[in-house]
Amino acid sequence: MTAATPFAASGPERVAFDRAELNTILALYGRMVAAGEWRDYGMSFLRDVAVFSVFRRTAEQPLYRIEKRPKLRNRQGQYAVIGMDGRVLKRGHDLRTVLRVLERKLIRAVE
């Protein structure tokens, strides 16, 4: 008789954002909501990727997807910002650096 591990029946592990990553993403999200650019978000935690999707309206497809793919950690970086058309706007190892591509949208000329 063999003893089963307590987590054997829970299925495959899922990729998720940790607390620091979520704080960074939600800080940007809050600034963009205050600027009137974004209105809703969704999160998906899958086996290979964690996704934070940003929406202008709930019924639309996401404006941007912020993805974390740990398998790419040693290659081009585990974080990516992907546009509505599926193009990778920025990829890298540091989440704050990758998110700067979205923060540029907050900078506007003041007359």
Side-chain angles (χ1 to χ4, degrees), residues 11-110:
E13 289 192 29
R14 298 183 186 275
V15 176
F17 295 106
D18 64 28
R19 184 180 301 263
E21 293 165 338
L22 273 178
N23 284 340
T24 302
I25 294 169
L26 289 173
L28 172 64
Y29 177 78
R31 290 193 306 273
M32 295 300 261
V33 167
E37 296 291 323
W38 297 349
R39 288 186 177 49
D40 199 9
Y41 72 91
M43 290 188 282
S44 300
F45 303 110
L46 308 172
R47 199 175 76 206
D48 296 331
V49 62
V51 181
F52 187 96
S53 301
V54 177
F55 300 88
R56 186 168 307 210
R57 290 179 188 80
T58 307
E60 294 181 350
Q61 63 184 109
L63 290 174
Y64 302 103
R65 291 188 331 260
I66 301 164
E67 293 187 354
K68 176 183 178 181
R69 293 183 183 267
K71 288 185 179 181
L72 299 177
R73 178 182 298 129
N74 296 327
R75 294 184 187 141
Q76 63 259 44
Q78 68 178 342
Y79 302 108
V81 174
I82 300 169
M84 183 186 300
D85 57 358
R87 286 186 301 147
V88 176
L89 303 176
K90 183 83 172 167
R91 184 181 299 276
H93 298 282
D94 180 52
L95 181 60
R96 290 182 194 273
T97 304
V98 171
L99 292 179
R100 282 189 196 140
V101 73
L102 298 175
E103 289 179 353
R104 290 184 198 150
K105 303 209 178 284
L106 283 174
I107 301 172
R108 295 185 181 153
V110 178

